[in-house]
């Protein structure tokens, strides 16, 4: 078969686009990590040398470290809450066929499609009315709302692949419903559950567009801190802090990928 | 039949899905050690029936009992049944041994005893060397045997099998069928088996329940359903046959609408007659009988026999016969045939 | 679990499981959105303790050419970004879907990390990259294209590049997920019928991948239209998008009713454009492009 010139050209263009895209996607993170290692006081790339002085500075900055602690706590809580709520809802939707099921499913995914500025305004206004404005609960609730769609979407995908015969087989082997859930359902859904948790965690941890509306006084998340800092001036300190955000994100994804065993997480 | 011999009893079992009858009304007793087969075309309600017995589907009406105890309202995990699914449903996150052990743990058996039981059952299905494998590393035939071992490990009162051979290739199917039959019989296991494959049913079952559109058409031994079909449906579904419509007179002589006459022992009235192809013979083989001139409409070579489509006047018949090399009749030829009266069955006309 | 359970018990079970999620979204999504809608009709400049009904906020928006031009500009940004993501994301998503699973798993991490990485970090990375002492300027100087560092930030192109980069992973994953469902045999069949790759793409792959393309496009359009961090930081003070204006009204001038009205104008215009795009471009796309 002769190779068509057009097809050749097309595959060359395809390869170029792919490499351009991968480079473009990774470049910002690589640049941030690289510049954070500078021994100097300006952000230059490539850095003139390598030192950890800005990481030490970040470690000593109680402002950033408190924000990091808050962000981790917030992300962990939001993940647990939205996993519990989302798992229950997805399970219910998976197990009950009825008219309007798709509608409920779309509703659960809808926070993904609401612009965060609009949601942000809605939430502070509503929180002012019900007295939750400038509270940690308000911040947490907002994060649960925006992480829920990731949980629902990921879990729905993994439940579709789940073979219900396995549960019935277990029941025919004298397993009570709770035993079935404990020994069959949960273990087999685990890769899906882990990836749902990863998505929820990193989404919450990195969120800035909603947090900026709900953060207050000493409850300012790390991304919001970075944002306000960068708006004023930027120096290697904020590069180090940003690198910490990158490490947390990458580490979470990497760990989850290991944890879930042979099945791909994402 | 003695009542205490009955292990499973369906009494007028029904299942409707939003007004559609999946199972219309089934009554059936299965005796101890008996291998009963539900046979019927796809969608006739076999799986639904099986799953109602297993406890996965709630019957709309009727009762099910196991060894005299009414289990209709009992959840699946309290019924003493073992089941092998069409896709085997092996737990993918457990090894072969763990799969077999699963039920034993659930009934609270002690570890030493469990190990012994697992060893024993895996030896019976010849899988002891694979006990640490995961299901995905097994062939289809091996998976099927693991599923069987897992179900049998609990020594259930009834074993249920839903099309257990449908995922296997033809060669393996026949071999595993024989193995399964031997195993079930050696354990004297009461078994309810579902298939749409008549050959499977005929070779395995002690009794066949022929189903059609949620109803039982006939219950009987393989010989009965083959030789004495109770309806046109059964006659056509099991084996091949020609059906002739006509009337029977006072002397038992059947005259088809096309004019073909065949002696029967049935009562007078309108009737349908079943003629199986192996009972249509060359006239010289049955010299004592009346010969008919039949026109060959088509002939297919099947290896061991040739199957001919014949027409005698307006009547159509099928014939299985062997012909010497070069003597096989061709389309358009006329041959002389006779019909063995022992193979002529009268089917009651449906109301 | 077992269908043997009483159907009433089953219904109660269902309600108990679904209730928390429904309650959460009704209270913390629907009600807040409703409250924004209500606030957009307040006559004054404050939402708390206000009452009354007027179209003042909407008049204010549509009477001012500044707001209208920002709206226009926002829509243009959103369209260019979505199309850019499609053009760059489709080849990548497609090739990912056609990779063997083990290789795909590694590449997926390269997509997932930028997807989930905090927006501020990404934007900060671009600030450094495009800054006066950044990589881009170093390369330009190294190539002798310029002697002094150029201002690469604070213009439209920079904003577009960063928007495309931050939303690309969504398109890649949408396309990948839908191409995974397309049997490669279809493409082989098309090729065996003497179709060139481009024609195979136009007639087979793109129509079948249309659902993924639509969902990626929609998501990116919505997210771009309401973006405010990127235009602020990369675009500088002279770049305006509606998202940024809403943000200013909410957190800087505290004129919530006007912010609310802008929010709903943004939502309405966004939905309108998405509907038009889907009717004019995506549906014909789904039927198959005409390529000779
Ligand atoms: N959950 C269900 N909802 C609606 N109809 C069903 C359901 N399960 C089975 N049916 C219908 O009931 C009939 C019998 O199904 P089944 O028992 O699976 O048949 P078989 O196993 O004999 O092929 C079919 O017509 C099928 O469409
Ligand atoms: Mg079936």
């Amino acid at each position: 078969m002769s190779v068509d010139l057009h097809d050749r050209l097309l595959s060359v263009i395809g390869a170029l686009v792919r490499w351009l895209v991968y480079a473009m996607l990774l470049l910002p993170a690589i640049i941030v990590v690289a510049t954070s290692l500078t021994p100097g006081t300006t952000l230059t790339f490539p850095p003139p040398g390598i030192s950890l002085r800005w990481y030490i500075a970040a470690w000593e900055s109680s402002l950033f470290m408190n924000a990091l602690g808050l962000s981790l706590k917030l992300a962990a809580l939001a993940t647990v809450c939205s996993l519990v709520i989302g798992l229950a809802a997805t399970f219910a939707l998976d197990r009950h066929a009825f008219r309007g099921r798709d509608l409920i499913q779309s509703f659960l995914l809808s926070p993904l499609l609401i612009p965060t500025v609009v949601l942000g305004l809605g939430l502070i206004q509503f929180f002012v009315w019900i007295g939750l404005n400038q509270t940690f609960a308000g911040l947490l609730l907002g994060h649960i709302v925006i992480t829920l769609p990731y949980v629902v979407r990921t879990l729905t995908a993994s439940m579709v692949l789940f073979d219900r015969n396995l549960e019935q087989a277990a029941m025919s082997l004298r397993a009570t419903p709770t035993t079935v859930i404990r020994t069959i359902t949960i273990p087999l859904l685990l890769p899906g559950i882990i990836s749902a948790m990863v998505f929820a965690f990193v989404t919450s941890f990195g969120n800035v567009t909603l947090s900026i509306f709900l953060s207050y006084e000493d409850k300012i998340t790390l991304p919001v801190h970075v944002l306000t800092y960068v708006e004023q001036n930027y120096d290697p300190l904020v590069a180090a802090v940003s690198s910490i955000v990158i490490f947390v994100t990458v580490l979470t994804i990497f760990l989850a990928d290991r944890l879930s065993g042979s099945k791909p997480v994402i | 039949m003695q009542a205490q011999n009955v292990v499973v009893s369906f009494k007028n079992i029904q299942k409707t899905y939003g007004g559609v009858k999946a199972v219309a009304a089934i009554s059936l007793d299965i005796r101890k050690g008996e291998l009963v087969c539900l046979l019927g075309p796809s969608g006739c309600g076999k799986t639904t029936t099986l799953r109602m017995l297993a406890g996965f589907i709630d019957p709309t009406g009727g009762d099910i009992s196991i060894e005299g105890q009414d289990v209709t309202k009992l959840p699946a995990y309290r019924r003493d049944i073992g089941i092998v699914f069409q896709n085997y449903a092996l737990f993918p996150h457990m090894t072969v041994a763990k799969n077999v052990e699963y039920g034993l743990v659930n009934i609270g058996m002690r570890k030493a005893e469990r190990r012994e039981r697992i060893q024993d059952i895996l030896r019976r299905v010849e899988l002891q060397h694979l006990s640490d494998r995961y299901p995905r590393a097994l062939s289809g035939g091996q998976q099927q045997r693991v599923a069987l071992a897992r179900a049998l490990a609990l020594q259930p009162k009834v074993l249920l099998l839903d099309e257990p051979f449908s995922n296997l290739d033809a060669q393996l199917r026949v071999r595993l069928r024989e193995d399964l039959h031997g195993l079930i019989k050696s354990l004297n296991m009461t078994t309810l088996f579902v298939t749409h494959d008549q050959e499977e049913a005929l070779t395995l079952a002690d009794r066949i329940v022929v189903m059609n559109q949620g109803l039982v058409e006939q219950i009987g031994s393989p010989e009965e359903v083959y030789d004495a079909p109770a309806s046109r449906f059964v006659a056509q579904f099991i084996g091949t046959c020609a059906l002739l419509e006509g009337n029977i007179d006072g002397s038992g002589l059947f005259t088809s609408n096309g004019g073909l006459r065949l002696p029967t022992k049935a009562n007078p009235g309108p009737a349908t007659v079943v003629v199986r192809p192996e009972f249509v013979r060359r006239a010289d083989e049955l010299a004592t009988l009346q010969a008919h001139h039949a026109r060959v409409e088509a002939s297919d070579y099947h290896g061991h026999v040739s199957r001919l489509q014949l027409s005698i006047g307006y009547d159509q018949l099928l014939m299985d016969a062997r012909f010497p090399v070069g003597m096989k009749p061709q389309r358009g030829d006329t041959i002389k045939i006779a019909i063995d009266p022992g193979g002529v069955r009268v089917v009651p006309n449906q109301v | 679990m077992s269908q043997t359970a009483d159907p009433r018990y089953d219904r109660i079970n269902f309600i108990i499981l679904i209730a928390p999620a429904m309650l959460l979204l009704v209270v913390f999504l629907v009600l807040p959105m409703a409250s924004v809608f209500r606030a957009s009709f307040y006559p004054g400049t404050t939402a708390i303790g206000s009452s009354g009904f007027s179209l003042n906020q909407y008049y204010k928006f549509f009477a001012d050419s500044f707001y209208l031009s920002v709206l226009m500009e926002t829509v243009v940004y959103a369209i260019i970004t979505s199309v850019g993501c499609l053009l760059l994301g489709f080849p990548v998503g497609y090739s990912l879907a056609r990779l063997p699973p083990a290789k795909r798993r590694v590449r997926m991490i390269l997509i997932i990390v930028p997807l989930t990485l905090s927006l501020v970090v990404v934007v900060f990375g671009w600030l450094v990259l495009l800054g006066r002492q950044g990589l881009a300027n170093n390369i330009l100087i190294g190539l002798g294209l310029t002697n002094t560092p150029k201002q690469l930030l604070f213009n439209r192109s920079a904003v577009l590049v960063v928007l495309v980069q931050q939303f690309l992973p969504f398109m890649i994953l949408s396309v990948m997920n839908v191409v995974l469902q397309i049997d490669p045999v279809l493409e082989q069949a098309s090729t065996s019928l003497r179709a060139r790759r481009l024609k195979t793409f136009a007639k087979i792959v793109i129509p079948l991948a249309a659902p993924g393309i639509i969902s990626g496009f929609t998501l990116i359009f919505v997210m771009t239209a309401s973006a405010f961090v990127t235009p602020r930081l990369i675009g500088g003070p002279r770049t305006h998008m509606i998202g940024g204006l809403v943000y200013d009204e909410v957190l800087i001038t505290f004129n919530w009713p006007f912010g609310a009205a802008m929010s709903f104008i943004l939502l309405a215009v966004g939905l309108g454009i998405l509907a038009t795009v889907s009717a004019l471009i995506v549906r014909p796309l789904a039927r198959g492009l005409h390529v000779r």
Side-chain angles (χ1 to χ4, degrees):
Chain A
M1 219 192 297
S2 74
V3 178
D4 197 302
L5 196 63
H6 280 81
D7 288 3
R8 246 317 157 65
L9 194 66
L10 199 66
S11 69
V12 169
I13 293 174
L16 281 178
V17 169
R18 285 202 296 277
W19 289 114
L20 174 74
V21 166
Y22 284 121
M24 190 177 171
L25 286 180
L26 297 177
L27 211 50
I30 291 170
I31 297 271
V32 169
V33 175
T35 48
S36 72
L37 294 170
T38 186
T41 54
T42 54
L43 285 167
T44 43
F45 186 91
I50 288 201
S51 98
L52 289 179
R53 70 176 268 210
W54 295 106
Y55 285 86
I56 295 164
W59 174 254
E60 282 164 355
S61 151
S62 63
L63 200 70
F64 279 127
M65 284 304 120
N66 288 344
L68 176 63
L70 173 74
S71 279
L72 287 173
K73 183 173 122 188
L74 179 65
L77 282 174
T79 300
V80 170
C81 295
S82 89
L83 180 73
V84 170
I85 295 172
L87 186 60
T90 320
F91 193 77
L93 286 179
D94 185 60
R95 297 308 161 103
H96 295 82
F98 59 95
R99 275 186 304 145
R101 180 166 78 168
D102 287 353
L103 209 66
I104 294 189
Q105 185 124 27
S106 311
F107 180 55
L108 296 182
L109 295 175
S110 66
L112 219 52
L113 279 173
I114 306 278
T116 35
V117 267
V118 184
L119 182 62
L121 169 57
L123 281 176
I124 33 180
Q125 193 171 284
F126 185 68
F127 284 158
V128 168
W129 283 348
I130 64 172
L132 276 181
N133 194 32
Q134 307 212 330
T135 61
F136 182 72
L139 186 58
L140 178 61
L141 282 164
H143 276 233
I144 298 173
V145 170
I146 56 164
T147 49
L148 188 67
Y150 289 97
V151 170
V152 170
R153 207 171 52 172
T154 316
L155 289 178
T156 305
S158 73
M159 282 187 197
V160 167
L161 299 174
F162 187 83
D163 179 6
R164 299 277 296 279
N165 279 337
L166 294 173
E167 290 173 346
Q168 301 194 331
M171 257 190 284
S172 79
L173 296 166
R174 313 290 180 282
T176 58
T178 38
T179 310
V180 174
I181 290 182
R182 185 173 51 80
T183 58
I184 307 292
T185 317
I186 299 278
L188 289 177
L189 287 180
L190 202 61
I193 291 174
I194 292 177
S195 63
M197 289 177 71
V198 171
F199 267 114
F201 186 87
V202 291
T203 302
S204 165
F205 181 73
N207 180 275
V208 61
T209 49
L210 185 67
S211 298
I212 201 164
F213 289 94
L214 303 176
S215 288
Y216 59 95
E217 290 160 20
D218 62 329
K219 295 281 186 289
I220 295 178
T221 66
L222 189 59
V224 176
H225 252 309
V226 172
L227 179 67
T228 41
Y229 196 90
V230 168
E231 278 191 305
Q232 316 302 325
N233 58 319
Y234 48 90
D235 58 23
L237 174 61
V238 75
V241 174
S242 296
S243 298
I244 293 172
V245 175
I246 296 174
F247 298 145
V248 170
T249 307
V250 172
L251 204 69
T252 310
I253 292 172
F254 184 77
L255 271 184
D257 201 57
R258 296 286 106 179
L259 265 183
S260 72
S262 59
K263 290 231 183 95
V265 154
I266 297 142
Chain B
M1 180 203 319
Q2 279 142 347
Q4 66 262 37
N5 264 343
V6 173
V7 177
V8 175
S9 173
F10 289 97
K11 289 198 189 71
N12 204 21
I13 277 293
Q14 304 164 22
K15 179 70 195 179
T16 45
Y17 287 108
V20 181
K21 284 191 170 143
V23 173
I26 288 194
S27 294
L28 171 70
D29 285 342
I30 305 175
R31 292 182 289 266
K32 175 95 192 99
E34 198 180 21
L35 205 169
V36 172
C37 180
L38 299 180
L39 174 65
S42 183
C44 71
K46 308 178 298 285
T47 298
T48 307
T49 309
L50 193 83
R51 285 177 176 245
M52 286 194 283
L53 175 54
F56 304 141
I57 298 179
D58 222 8
T60 315
D63 293 310
I64 302 174
S65 53
I66 296 177
E67 289 192 344
Q69 185 202 3
D70 185 350
V71 298
T72 319
K73 292 274 171 278
L74 220 55
Y77 52 91
R78 297 252 179 69
R79 301 186 186 192
D80 218 348
I81 55 110
I83 181 165
V84 174
F85 289 82
Q86 191 166 356
N87 67 352
Y88 315 133
L90 297 179
F91 305 133
H93 57 310
M94 300 181 191
T95 61
V96 168
K98 287 284 174 200
N99 263 280
V100 176
E101 192 177 27
Y102 187 81
L104 304 175
V105 174
N106 288 331
I107 58 169
M109 189 183 278
R110 265 206 294 275
K111 182 138 193 170
E113 206 182 336
R114 289 207 299 261
R115 201 174 304 145
E116 214 167 286
R117 184 77 71 88
I118 295 166
Q119 287 291 318
D120 178 52
I121 195 76
L122 285 181
R123 198 174 317 115
R124 274 180 181 277
V125 296
E126 294 167 23
L127 281 175
Q128 62 273 56
H129 59 296
L130 298 178
S131 64
D132 292 326
R133 287 260 188 103
Y134 281 90
R136 63 175 169 274
L138 299 178
S139 71
Q142 290 165 339
Q143 290 184 15
Q144 193 233 42
R145 282 182 286 154
V146 176
L148 191 62
R150 185 177 70 176
L152 289 173
L154 281 173
Q155 302 176 342
K157 293 194 178 114
V158 210
L159 177 66
L160 310 180
L161 306 152
D162 191 352
E163 313 240 6
F165 301 109
S166 62
N167 289 336
L168 304 171
D169 60 65
Q171 296 258 318
L172 197 60
R173 204 178 285 196
V174 173
R175 223 194 69 216
L176 287 178
R177 197 157 77 194
E178 284 159 8
D179 291 354
L180 177 76
H181 192 252
L183 182 64
I184 287 175
K185 284 301 165 191
S186 76
L187 294 169
N188 196 27
M189 180 58 68
T190 312
T191 306
L192 182 63
F193 181 100
V194 159
T195 183
H196 64 267
D197 179 338
Q198 43 131 345
E199 190 192 326
E200 224 162 83
L202 290 172
T203 51
L204 277 177
D206 297 326
R207 260 193 317 153
I208 295 177
V209 179
V210 186
M211 290 178 65
N212 183 28
Q213 300 188 344
L215 281 169
V216 172
E217 292 269 341
Q218 185 173 9
I219 302 181
S221 69
E223 294 78 11
E224 278 165 352
V225 294
Y226 187 82
D227 288 336
S231 66
R232 297 175 59 117
F233 174 82
V234 176
Q236 282 187 309
F237 190 74
I238 296 174
T240 17
C241 66
L243 290 173
L244 304 174
E245 308 285 342
N247 264 289
I248 296 175
D249 66 14
S251 66
L253 185 68
F254 170 83
T255 308
S256 77
N257 295 342
L260 189 65
R261 285 154 186 260
L262 297 166
T264 73
K265 296 190 187 75
N267 295 329
T272 303
V273 155
V274 176
V275 184
R276 298 251 184 231
E278 63 269 29
F279 292 102
V280 178
R281 315 284 278 273
R282 297 204 308 267
D284 55 2
E285 290 178 319
L286 294 169
T288 57
L289 292 169
Q290 192 206 339
H292 303 275
H293 288 274
R295 197 182 126 87
V296 178
E297 301 292 345
S299 89
D300 299 322
Y301 184 58
H302 283 229
H304 57 301
V305 289
S306 293
R307 170 158 302 164
L308 306 181
Q309 279 180 41
L310 304 173
S311 61
I312 302 173
Y314 292 106
D315 291 311
Q316 313 287 322
L317 285 178
L318 293 172
M319 172 181 188
D320 283 351
R322 295 187 65 102
F323 295 95
V325 177
M327 301 288 282
K328 203 180 107 188
Q330 300 301 310
R331 183 163 179 264
D333 289 355
T334 301
I335 58 171
K336 282 173 82 177
I337 56 124
I339 299 168
D340 183 348
V344 175
R345 297 290 168 214
V346 179
V347 180
N349 263 359
Q350 251 97 7
V351 197
Chain C
M1 169 122 321
S2 158
Q3 287 158 7
T4 309
D6 186 338
R8 256 175 318 161
Y9 174 76
D10 223 38
R11 173 115 27 97
I12 292 171
N13 232 337
F14 173 76
I15 291 171
I16 290 176
L17 289 174
I18 197 94
M22 297 299 280
L23 206 68
L24 178 82
L25 291 191
V26 167
V27 176
F28 297 107
L29 185 75
V30 177
L31 286 184
M33 296 303 285
S35 81
V36 175
F37 191 56
R38 174 67 189 96
S40 74
F41 295 106
Y42 286 140
T45 57
T46 157
I48 306 303
S50 279
S51 63
F53 183 93
S54 94
L55 289 174
N56 279 359
Q57 315 298 342
Y58 292 92
Y59 284 138
K60 179 177 170 190
F61 187 90
F62 286 108
D64 191 328
S65 64
F66 168 72
Y67 293 123
L68 290 177
S69 70
V70 172
L71 182 62
M72 270 301 292
E73 198 162 346
T74 304
V75 168
V76 171
Y77 272 119
I79 290 175
I80 296 177
T81 305
S82 321
V83 172
C85 285
L86 179 57
L87 293 180
L88 290 177
F90 188 89
V92 181
Y94 176 83
S95 79
L96 270 180
R98 291 288 177 253
L99 278 179
K103 270 190 168 175
R104 179 162 65 233
R105 196 175 164 190
V106 178
R107 302 263 177 102
M108 283 284 283
I109 298 209
L110 300 186
I111 309 292
I112 297 293
V113 169
L115 172 78
T116 51
L117 190 57
S118 182
L119 178 59
V120 275
V121 174
V122 171
V123 168
F124 175 63
W126 281 106
L127 285 174
V128 177
L129 183 63
L130 299 176
R132 289 189 179 277
Q133 289 161 316
L135 180 64
N137 262 315
N138 286 350
I139 289 175
L140 289 180
I141 294 170
L143 291 176
L145 292 175
T146 173
N147 294 326
T148 50
K150 282 179 102 78
Q151 179 57 282
L152 300 172
L153 287 165
F154 312 129
N155 59 54
R156 286 207 179 91
S157 324
V159 174
L160 282 171
V161 167
V162 177
L163 285 173
V164 167
Q165 188 267 338
Q166 81 196 45
F167 296 134
L168 247 177
F170 288 100
M171 185 61 86
I172 294 173
L173 292 184
S174 286
V175 170
M176 185 197 81
N177 281 328
V178 70
V179 173
L180 276 175
Q181 319 286 320
I182 304 175
D183 193 337
V185 170
L186 290 179
E187 289 165 51
Q188 288 156 14
S190 169
T191 310
S192 74
L193 296 169
R194 303 288 159 81
R196 283 182 178 154
R197 288 302 286 159
L198 200 58
K199 191 161 181 175
T200 302
F201 269 105
K203 292 276 184 193
I204 311 283
V205 181
I206 295 180
L208 287 172
I213 294 174
I214 296 171
S215 71
F217 193 92
T218 310
L219 195 61
I220 292 169
F221 187 90
V222 170
M223 290 189 299
T224 314
S226 63
F228 63 93
V229 174
T230 308
R232 254 178 115 77
L233 293 181
I234 304 286
R238 284 189 309 280
T239 304
H240 294 293
M241 285 179 71
I242 293 284
L245 297 188
V246 175
Y247 172 83
D248 289 343
E249 294 299 335
V250 176
L251 289 183
I252 295 171
T253 48
F254 292 103
N255 186 346
W256 291 0
F258 188 54
M262 281 198 286
S263 296
F264 271 91
I265 292 166
L266 176 67
L267 278 179
V269 171
L271 286 180
I273 286 174
L274 281 177
T276 317
V277 164
S278 129
L280 291 185
I281 300 171
V282 182
R283 293 244 183 82
L285 203 70
R287 281 199 298 270
L289 292 174
H290 295 283
V291 174
R292 277 179 301 126

